[in-house]
């Protein structure tokens, strides 16, 4: 599964090794993340608009509020000069995936999770402390509020800005080892 997700490489007669990182791969993953998450968000709004009073939409709102509350609890510690914790990453991932989950496509959600894992790998390399995440963490509050208001265009614009700025922050802070 890790090989299929692009996190490890299978070398014939040698076994597995961690997949290499590169600027080209980072840019590719960042570009695809932007396109795929915006597509999933569009589908989520389509579903929310098609049945605004349905149980799945009410469940989406409830899960968004839970994910938002969990992230706000963790976000309060952003700015500490400490490593990004598994707890922070899980709350961050849950907020993003819950926002997109109303797209109602298991395949699209699996792709979003795979891309998120690839981005997380680069984020851990480039941004070893939570203090780097301070500014862009605030985006999640605004994105969540726009989703609650069903402000499709506002939410998409905020998510796009968030992803672009996050990707730029990673690219600006990552150091690649020179090729041997």
């Amino acid at each position: 599964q890790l090989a299929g997700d692009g996190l490890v490489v299978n070398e014939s007669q040698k076994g597995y090794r961690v997949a290499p990182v590169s600027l080209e791969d980072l840019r590719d993953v960042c570009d695809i993340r932007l396109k795929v998450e915006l597509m999933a968000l569009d589908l989520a709004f389509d579903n929310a608009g098609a049945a605004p009073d349905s149980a799945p939409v009410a469940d989406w709102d409830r899960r968004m509020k839970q994910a938002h509350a969990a992230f706000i609890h963790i976000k309060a510690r952003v700015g500490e000069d400490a490593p990004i914790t598994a707890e922070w990453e899980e709350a961050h991932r849950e907020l993003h995936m819950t926002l997109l989950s109303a797209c109602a496509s298991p395949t699209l959600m699996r792709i979003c999770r795979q891309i998120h894992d690839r981005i997380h790998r680069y984020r851990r390399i480039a941004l070893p402390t939570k203090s780097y995440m301070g500014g862009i963490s605030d985006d999640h509050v605004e994105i969540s509020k726009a989703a609650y208001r069903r402000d499709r265009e506002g939410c998409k614009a905020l998510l796009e800005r968030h992803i672009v700025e996050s990707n730029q922050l990673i690219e600006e802070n990552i150091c690649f080892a020179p090729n041997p």
Side-chain angles (χ1 to χ4, degrees), residues 87-103:
E87 182 183 24
W88 185 94
E89 181 52 39
E90 181 57 35
H92 179 247
R93 177 191 177 107
E94 185 63 25
L95 184 60
H96 275 270
M97 295 304 117
T98 302
L99 174 68
L100 305 175
S101 67
C103 75

Side-chain angles (χ1 to χ4, degrees), residues 17-18 32 44 56 60 65 89 98 105 109 112 115 129 149-150:
R17 66 178 174 83
V18 175
I32 292 302
W60 183 47
K65 288 177 181 158
E89 181 52 39
T98 302
S105 168
M109 287 306 299
C112 288
I115 292 168
T129 69
R149 290 190 312 267
R150 299 298 191 263

Side-chain angles (χ1 to χ4, degrees), residues 3 11-12 21 24 30 37-38 42 55 64 71-73 75 84 91 95-96 116 129 144 164 177:
E11 293 183 341
S12 180
V21 294
E24 295 77 23
C30 288
E37 285 197 26
L38 289 176
D42 241 350
M64 276 294 300
F71 185 75
I72 292 300
H73 174 72
K75 182 196 167 305
I84 294 172
L95 184 60
H96 275 270
H116 186 86
T129 69
S144 296
V164 167

Side-chain angles (χ1 to χ4, degrees), residues 37-174:
E37 285 197 26
L38 289 176
M39 179 174 64
L41 185 60
D42 241 350
L43 289 171
F45 274 101
D46 286 348
N47 290 335
D53 296 326
S54 71
V57 172
D59 184 55
W60 183 47
D61 286 337
R62 181 189 56 75
R63 289 182 302 108
M64 276 294 300
K65 288 177 181 158
Q66 287 176 337
H68 182 198
F71 185 75
I72 292 300
H73 174 72
I74 300 294
K75 182 196 167 305
R77 296 193 311 244
V78 167
E80 295 173 359
D81 199 22
I84 294 172
T85 63
E87 182 183 24
W88 185 94
E89 181 52 39
E90 181 57 35
H92 179 247
R93 177 191 177 107
E94 185 63 25
L95 184 60
H96 275 270
M97 295 304 117
T98 302
L99 174 68
L100 305 175
S101 67
C103 75
S105 168
T107 302
L108 185 55
M109 287 306 299
R110 185 175 56 254
I111 292 167
C112 288
R113 285 189 295 275
Q114 289 171 336
I115 292 168
H116 186 86
D117 290 345
R118 300 263 312 269
I119 291 290
H120 173 65
R121 179 177 180 223
Y122 281 104
R123 183 172 43 246
R124 292 294 295 246
I125 293 167
L127 309 173
T129 69
K130 288 183 279 196
S131 62
Y132 282 98
M133 305 308 294
I136 59 173
S137 286
D138 294 335
D139 293 349
H140 297 93
V141 173
E142 296 306 315
I143 292 167
S144 296
K145 287 179 182 177
Y148 300 143
R149 290 190 312 267
R150 299 298 191 263
D151 177 3
R152 177 192 300 250
E153 294 311 313
C155 193
K156 283 177 62 179
L158 289 164
L159 182 62
E160 181 174 6
R161 186 190 77 205
H162 171 71
I163 291 171
V164 167
E165 289 179 0
S166 297
N167 294 346
Q168 287 172 341
L169 187 62
I170 292 168
E171 189 171 329
E172 288 168 3
N173 286 282
I174 199 161

